[in-house]
Amino acid sequence: MLGALLWGVVAASSLTLGALLALGRRWSDRVIGGVLAFGAGALISSVAFELSEEGTRTAGPLPVAIGLAVGALSFYLATRALERIGRRGGGGTAGLPLALGALLDGVPEQAVLGIGIASGEGVSIALLVAIFVSNLPEGIGSASDLLKAGRSRRVVLGLWLAVSVACALATIGGYGAAQVAGPGFSGVVDGFAAGALLVMLVDSMIPEAREKAGEIAGLLTVLGFAVGAGLSVLG
């Protein structure tokens, strides 16, 4: 279990690192958009090769399909709730959908790491690197948007520390659950992460990347996908 926690901390640390990079200096919109586009490509690769494909292989299509639906609906409803809270409070939700996406996909993604360790398969280096690489743009993009919206540096850092801790602890949760649950559980977890990711990508990450990076966003997204796919093959 200690090993699962250590790997969980390694994977989740890039969320806080991304926020620290945003706090350390002011990034231009074009740079942020480019980073988001690259990260979106890496996340699409993670959905295709590390979550949907692996979940289907180990548990079959039905648990993955159930997880996809639940994950997508969870992100959609949580985002709508954030928007309502923002309107009532007189503020916006700038940056919060990315933070929410990092939580809703990061927790099940890292639970998958714990499940792999508990099952004796070891750590998927491809999944570990994909999580680490794709977390950075989420942290940078969300923290930058939150700072521009007037949130204090302490609030921004505290938010991303909380998300990082929750994701790291999810690795232990996956490790423990794997001791008592069957392969169907892993498939649902994979599907949940994939569903939350896909809605976040379409609703938040890709539109923001295109708006800020301009015409190069598509090219950088494909580059991110290629890097993520290469890591999956190597893993």
Side-chain angles (χ1 to χ4, degrees):
M1 183 170 289
L2 179 58
L5 176 60
L6 291 175
W7 284 115
V9 170
V10 169
S13 64
S14 57
L15 290 167
T16 303
L17 177 59
L20 289 172
L21 288 172
L23 292 170
R25 55 162 294 182
R26 183 178 179 86
W27 299 82
S28 70
D29 281 350
R30 190 167 179 83
V31 170
I32 293 173
V35 170
L36 287 172
F38 183 89
L43 287 172
I44 294 170
S45 174
S46 178
V47 168
F49 297 110
E50 298 295 335
L51 295 173
S52 298
E53 183 180 43
E54 182 63 20
T56 301
R57 184 185 68 81
T58 58
L62 183 58
V64 175
I66 292 172
L68 276 165
V70 174
L73 187 61
S74 297
F75 183 85
Y76 175 81
L77 293 176
T79 303
R80 301 292 83 78
L82 278 178
E83 290 175 350
R84 288 194 295 271
I85 293 171
R87 286 195 296 268
R88 286 201 298 268
T93 59
L96 290 179
L98 285 178
L100 177 65
L103 180 64
L104 289 182
D105 72 74
V107 166
E109 268 187 336
Q110 297 208 190
V112 171
L113 281 178
I115 291 170
I117 294 171
S119 64
E121 297 176 1
V123 177
S124 169
I125 299 301
L127 180 59
L128 179 67
V129 175
I131 293 173
F132 190 93
V133 170
S134 60
N135 280 345
L136 282 173
E138 288 181 289
I140 293 172
S142 172
S144 297
D145 286 347
L146 288 167
L147 289 171
K148 289 179 181 178
R151 301 295 201 281
S152 71
R153 299 167 70 88
R154 179 178 297 179
V155 167
V156 172
L157 183 58
L159 170 65
W160 281 101
L161 281 172
V163 173
S164 299
V165 169
C167 290
L169 292 177
T171 312
I172 298 180
Y175 181 94
Q179 310 294 321
V180 296
F185 172 76
S186 175
V188 172
V189 171
D190 282 330
F192 185 97
L197 271 174
L198 288 171
V199 178
M200 185 273 290
L201 284 164
V202 174
D203 283 358
S204 303
M205 200 167 183
I206 291 176
E208 185 173 355
R210 172 63 184 177
E211 178 185 352
K212 291 182 175 179
E215 68 282 354
I216 200 173
L219 180 61
L220 291 173
T221 300
V222 174
L223 180 60
F225 181 89
V227 170
L231 289 170
S232 296
V233 172
L234 292 175

